[in-house]
């Protein structure tokens, strides 16, 4: 991904000039990634409600999804809420525990977002291509999460 450093610098700028709701800034980050990375067709951030054991969509770019709330353990996102590990899905049709958001989606990557060592949420990227995600995407999305974690407030669920 040849524009990764440029994108990370732009995200640095977005999070350091936050002016208003943190979710607006996250929406801008999603829009930037969806526009500038050709194989990122849908980009969203889910955050964990540890009492309800559910994930909640707080920002996204791409086609709106019905799956704005996902129980821990369900789908790729729900599995990452419990595993605390990156999950790369080269072909979503090969997954049993998968929640389809659009028939166009062929692959997915979910990377947990750690704040103070706690997996509080995740970035979720869908692609309409088969098998586009590699270690470069994992390192890139880990870096994105590391930058945005600073603007997530304590009461991010309310
Ligand atoms: N496919 C995800 C659900 C979220 S959508 O991709 C927007 C999953 O299986 O958890």
């Amino acid at each position: 991904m040849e524009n990764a450093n440029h994108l990370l610098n732009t995200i640095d700028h977005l999070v350091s000039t936050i002016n208003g709701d943190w979710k607006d800034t996250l929406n801008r980050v999603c829009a930037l990634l969806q526009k500038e990375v050709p194989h990122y067709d849908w980009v969203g951030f889910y955050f964990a409600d540890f009492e309800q054991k559910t994930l909640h969509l707080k920002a996204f770019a791409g086609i709106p999804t019905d799956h704005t709330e996902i129980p821990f353990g369900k789908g790729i996102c729900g599995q990452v809420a419990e595993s605390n590990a990156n999950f790369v899905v080269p072909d979503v049709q090969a997954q049993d525990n998968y929640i389809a958001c659009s028939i166009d989606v062929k692959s997915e990557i979910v990377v947990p977002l750690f704040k103070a060592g706690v997996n509080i949420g995740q970035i979720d990227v869908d692609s309409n291509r088969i098998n586009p995600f590699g270690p470069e995407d994992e390192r890139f999305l880990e870096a994105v999460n590391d930058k945005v974690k600073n603007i997530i407030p304590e009461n991010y669920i309310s």
Side-chain angles (χ1 to χ4, degrees):
M1 207 192 299
E2 75 274 5
N3 55 353
N5 281 339
H6 176 67
L7 292 172
L8 290 172
N9 285 338
T10 307
I11 291 170
D12 260 337
H13 180 72
L14 286 172
V15 298
S16 61
T17 56
I18 181 169
N19 170 19
D21 192 337
W22 61 279
K23 295 191 273 327
D24 292 343
T25 299
L26 277 195
N27 275 315
R28 284 189 199 107
V29 171
C30 293
L32 174 78
L33 296 179
Q34 191 232 12
K35 179 164 173 275
E36 299 298 336
V37 186
H39 59 295
Y40 290 9
D41 291 295
W42 189 94
V43 180
F45 285 95
Y46 285 91
F47 289 93
D49 179 334
F50 292 104
E51 281 177 22
Q52 305 291 328
K53 296 201 184 326
T54 45
L55 289 164
H56 299 263
L57 185 65
K58 294 292 180 181
F60 74 96
I63 296 168
T65 175
D66 290 340
H67 303 288
T68 56
E69 187 180 321
I70 298 175
F72 283 15
K74 299 274 185 205
I76 309 304
C77 296
Q79 292 177 76
V80 169
E82 294 183 333
S83 71
N84 307 323
N86 296 349
F87 199 154
V88 179
V89 181
D91 176 2
V92 295
Q93 287 199 0
Q95 291 292 320
D96 290 334
N97 190 357
Y98 169 72
I99 302 166
C101 286
S102 147
I103 51 162
D104 294 325
V105 173
K106 303 274 194 307
S107 57
E108 178 162 8
I109 180 171
V110 179
V111 173
L113 191 158
F114 296 98
K115 184 161 170 144
V118 179
N119 173 7
I120 62 162
Q122 49 193 241
I123 188 166
D124 176 16
V125 180
D126 287 343
S127 181
N128 298 347
R129 304 181 191 185
I130 286 269
N131 195 16
F133 300 116
E136 240 192 343
D137 295 277
E138 292 190 64
R139 299 298 86 76
F140 175 66
L141 295 172
E142 286 164 1
V144 170
N145 281 350
D146 206 46
K147 292 189 184 300
V148 305
K149 72 173 195 282
N150 299 317
I151 64 162
I152 315 301
E154 293 295 317
N155 60 343
Y156 59 79
I157 276 303
S158 56

